[in-house]
Amino acid sequence: MRSNSVKMGLERAPHRSLFKALGLTDEEMKRPLIGIVNAKSEVVPGHMHLDKVAEAVKAGVRMAGGTPMEFPSIGVCDGIAMGHIGMHYSLPSRELIADSLESMALAQGFDGLVLIPNCDKIVPGMLMGAARLNIPTIVISGGPMLAGRTNGKGVSLTNMFEAVGAVQAGKMSEEELNCLENSACASCGSCSGMFTANSMNCLTEAIGMALPGNGTVPAVYSERLRLGKLSGMKIMELVEKDIKPRDIITSDALHNALTVDMALGCSTNSMLHLPAIAYEAGVHFDLDMANNISKKTPNLCKLAPAGNHFVEDLYHAGGISAVMKELSKKGLINETCLTVTGMTMGENITNAVNSNPDVIRPVDNPYSETGGIAVLRGNLAPDGSVVKRSAVDEKMLVHEGPARVFDSEDDVIKAILGGEINKGEVVVIRYEGPKGGPGMREMLMPTSVLVGMGLDADVALITDGRFSGATRGACIGHVSPEAADGGPIALVKDGDIISINMKECSLNLKVSDEELENRRKSWVCPSPKIKTGYLARYSKFVTSASEGAVMKV
């Protein structure tokens, strides 16, 4: 056992005395020590109930003969951090989570880990740490929030952000806003649409690092607690068989995750997190894989914000197993991949049934023959950019218009609320990338306000930052190289014509190479927005969004 390094032998008597100070008996110390990494907090709605999940996990570990030892993880709520300085810290917190996981697991000598995340950066951060450590690990998330209900319709956090624009445009009263505010987020859990948190929880299941049901069993269902107990029991089997993350997070497994990503129409943030997880696992990953997979993967689901279904609907329709079963009918899933069940993915999904073809379209009757996410390239994004194509109005898939350039999210929000954005324009938001932000802020506020004002079918947004999983409309993020690295987006001027073709996966600035070269000669990178603390260090070491915005020394 790995934990013998901290508990066995004469020289470890001082260590055993400290374990006994924790209340452990000699019998408990003889068993495998399992680290329970609990992201429970009172600041994230998706995490407020994780103490209950952790108790279930610990019960499962004990039933299977292990000794659970719980320790915490930080977590940022992206919704609460949105639109102010807090959003600078969201993506960078992913690295802190991975680093703290590495530090604790190696310092304390655990034999295995059970990871209990739920929201946005916590899920990929923990997976990155697990891939780096490569000791037996399983993930059990907190589960999705139930959809809110107002006027007989399902609503989610997306509706709240869009309501701000609706009030501004005179389309909604403040009384109606207050009613929506009281009903949009109905329970604990990760926000109810196919936003970043639920995207990553579903993809964790598709990779094979979590038990079937992890991505879709609602947070408030007792089945979530049973899944926690089963996960606690299963980690003991993984420890016994020495099945480690890198045995599971393979090239084929990531291919499965990308395929499910396309079928679901997941958050564009998955195109940051999957490359980052691959990097930590030592697996090759590049953005072109997304388009190659998208070309042959049908889009089977339209979950909020792309449609009117929610993750609870996906659960009742059969969940991720049913989605993968549909995809397997066309040979799109590698069924030989090993999973934390100890069985292959094919064995996991054998008995899966699609019980609601309105929620999960049959593979021969998809919403579209291509996937929900596209990577666009061209002279404006030589290293790529990302769009959630399944959430874009049909008439905006091909668009050409004059640029309106802003050097920060704050400036563009003022312009939108001030009624300064016109139909047909292409709003460019730059110096918001991993380095330039720093931290690559999500742009949910400007995109949602545009939707609320009824401009989402007439205005495109392009940024070297990123968009929330709750974003819909012609919103293209992750433009690489970013402006702070001297990417072409830094050279765009007001009035330049930008050509977008999501069908052909292109993004071009209709300015000659000679003119761009002349502009480059006079370009000077602005001084860093934040010069001290963690973000100053982060901006020095973070890589491009096209590489997953990971930190490299």
Side-chain angles (χ1 to χ4, degrees), residues 217-233:
V217 174
V220 297
Y221 283 17
S222 296
E223 185 180 349
R224 177 63 54 178
L225 300 181
R226 297 197 298 273
L227 196 64
K229 289 178 182 178
L230 291 172
S231 298
M233 297 170 71

Side-chain angles (χ1 to χ4, degrees), residues 123-152:
V123 180
M126 286 192 181
L127 282 171
M128 290 165 65
R132 187 188 304 172
L133 283 163
N134 203 35
I135 64 175
T137 301
I138 192 170
V139 177
I140 166 65
S141 75
M145 180 184 290
L146 296 179
R149 298 286 164 182
T150 184
N151 298 322

Side-chain angles (χ1 to χ4, degrees), residues 427-448:
V427 175
V428 176
I429 313 169
R430 63 191 180 192
Y431 298 107
E432 290 288 5
K435 292 178 192 254
M440 205 179 183
R441 288 192 287 181
E442 285 186 344
M443 307 289 175
L444 180 57
M445 184 64 78
T447 62
S448 298

Side-chain angles (χ1 to χ4, degrees), residues 434-503:
K435 292 178 192 254
M440 205 179 183
R441 288 192 287 181
E442 285 186 344
M443 307 289 175
L444 180 57
M445 184 64 78
T447 62
S448 298
V449 173
L450 280 174
V451 171
M453 296 175 75
L455 291 172
D456 58 304
D458 298 287
V459 174
L461 278 82
I462 295 175
T463 182
D464 54 5
R466 60 195 177 94
F467 294 113
S468 166
T471 293
R472 60 189 173 109
C475 301
I476 302 166
H478 308 195
V479 171
S480 302
E482 63 174 288
D485 266 344
I489 193 172
L491 309 178
V492 182
K493 291 185 177 181
D494 281 342
D496 288 347
I497 301 300
I498 294 177
S499 175
I500 302 165
N501 192 325
M502 299 182 200
K503 295 180 179 179

Side-chain angles (χ1 to χ4, degrees), residues 29 31 54 71 124 150 156 167 170 189 211 244 275 302 325 360 363 365 399 421 463 470 552:
M29 279 190 279
R31 299 175 180 178
F71 62 93
T150 184
S156 69
V167 172
L211 295 179
K244 301 182 288 292
K302 287 275 189 183
K325 183 72 171 182
I360 306 172
V363 74
N365 181 34
H399 179 74
I421 303 301
T463 182
K552 294 182 181 180

